[in-house]
Structures are given as C-alpha cells and as structure tokens.
Amino acid sequence: MKRIAATTATALTLTTTANAFISPQPQPAFTVMSSSASGQRQGPLQMGLFDGMKEAFSAPPSMSLDSERETPIDRWMGWNVKSEETQKVAAAPENFVDAMDESNYVSTSLSKPMGIVFEENDEESGGIFVISLSEDGAAEKDGTVKPGDQLVAVNEIKVSGMAFDDALGCIVDATTEKTKLTFFRGTEKQLYGPTGASKEWLPEV
C-alpha cells in the first residue's frame, strides 16, 4: 500500500510540473453571450481587441474627403474619397448676368435728343443707368435701349464708374451726327460688384 501511494504521489507531482511549463491560452478581450430567437442562450462569441473599433469610428456613407487629404487611416476606415472632378461646384444664381460676356452688352447709335432719362448709381460704384424712355423719343423708336441698362461707353469714351455729370457730359459734348451708346444689360451689382467686368476688359466692348 505504501508503494502504491508513493507511485500515485509521484505521478501527481509529474503532472503538476508538466502543467507549469504549458503556456496558458490567451483569453479573448471581449466575451459576448448571444441569444437565439427562442430565448435560449448560445455559446459565447469571442471578439478580438480591435474588433468593432473600425465600425465605431467609421464615417457615415455620405461622408467624403478631398483626394489630396486622403491618408492610410482613411482607407482603413473606409471613408469615401472624392476626386477633384467629382466635387460639386456651387451653381451660379439663375438670374446671374456675366459682365465678362459680350452677349450681355448692346449698342445703338442715336441722334439727339435721344429721349433717355438717366439716373446715377450708388456713389460707391458710380456710373449711370437708364431709368426710363421718353414716349415717341429716338431711343423708344429704335427699340434697343431698355430701362435698367447700365451705360458703359459713349462713342469711344468709357464712362462706366463716372459721376453723373461727367458721364452725361460725354453725350452732350459728342459732335457726331449720331452718338453711339454701349450698355450692359444687367444690374449695378453685376457690373461693378465682385463678379463684374475688369477695368482692362471693358474698353474692348
């Protein structure tokens, strides 16, 4: 009996020593218990340390980045990257009139008296525009000039931005039989504002 007990003790000692040299199995970072539709608990779902992180920090499907700002983490996260060609460009307002487009200018030659009533723009921008036409006057019969037209040139003289008296004086002082008037068919802001025609381009009209 003593021999059998000694043998058993030796076997237990060897087993314990062997277990000490066996590396423990890594434990999952997260354990999630799932349930079936019937309510019975299923086995644990094992998740790695970084599982779920991508979903947690992923951008919405509608999010997009400029192609120049793309980084490796953007690609890993699945964030959309737009090319320059596909980026949306703000559309111009429907009533926008391009002051750098020659098709938005009209010219006519009229004899005096022309039958045009002019009004001065705001002092900040200067220049004059047509406020009305005299009934049966030369301008009304000609049909080219419309109320709201901005006067930009008299014969070969550029008058855009001029004070009222100076611009009107160019018409009065004209010695030709008929005086050529050039107008911009748009608003004061469209002609003199940030999107207006450059001073270098206007004399070419």
Side-chain angles (χ1 to χ4, degrees):
M1 292 296 292
K2 290 183 179 180
R3 182 176 296 176
I4 294 173
T7 303
T8 302
T10 302
L12 291 173
T13 301
L14 292 174
T15 302
T16 302
T17 304
N19 289 335
F21 289 95
I22 298 176
S23 300
Q25 294 296 324
Q27 296 298 318
F30 303 96
T31 301
V32 180
M33 300 301 294
S34 63
S35 301
S36 63
S38 62
Q40 296 179 354
R41 300 188 64 169
Q42 304 295 325
L45 299 177
Q46 297 185 355
M47 299 179 65
L49 179 60
F50 294 100
D51 292 344
M53 181 178 292
K54 181 176 180 179
E55 288 75 12
F57 291 95
S58 293
S62 60
M63 180 176 179
S64 59
L65 303 171
D66 295 338
S67 57
E68 295 180 356
R69 300 175 59 189
E70 180 185 7
T71 63
I73 193 66
D74 296 331
R75 292 190 292 271
W76 185 78
M77 289 292 187
W79 293 340
N80 296 330
V81 177
K82 277 187 177 183
S83 63
E84 294 181 358
E85 292 74 17
T86 59
Q87 292 180 17
K88 292 183 179 180
V89 178
E94 294 182 1
N95 60 349
F96 175 74
V97 181
D98 187 2
M100 296 287 286
D101 186 348
E102 291 186 17
S103 64
N104 294 321
Y105 290 81
V106 295
S107 296
T108 187
S109 295
L110 300 171
S111 56
K112 303 174 188 177
M114 299 178 178
I116 302 176
V117 179
F118 289 97
E119 181 69 29
E120 188 174 22
N121 291 317
D122 291 340
E123 185 178 353
E124 183 178 347
S125 59
I128 62 176
F129 67 97
V130 178
I131 192 171
S132 64
L133 302 177
S134 300
E135 186 176 357
D136 293 330
E140 185 183 61
K141 292 178 180 178
D142 178 76
T144 302
V145 184
K146 305 293 182 184
D149 288 349
Q150 294 281 334
L151 182 65
V152 297
V154 176
N155 287 332
E156 304 301 324
I157 303 173
K158 172 189 168 185
V159 298
S160 60
M162 279 189 180
F164 181 86
D165 292 339
D166 294 336
L168 201 60
C170 291
I171 297 176
V172 174
D173 295 340
T175 58
T176 54
E177 182 179 351
K178 287 189 174 184
T179 305
K180 180 182 177 181
L181 304 179
T182 302
F183 298 90
F184 168 66
R185 185 142 291 167
T187 66
E188 170 190 353
K189 184 177 180 179
Q190 291 165 345
L191 178 60
Y192 298 105
T195 60
S198 65
K199 294 181 179 180
E200 293 75 17
W201 183 84
L202 268 178
E204 300 177 6
V205 176

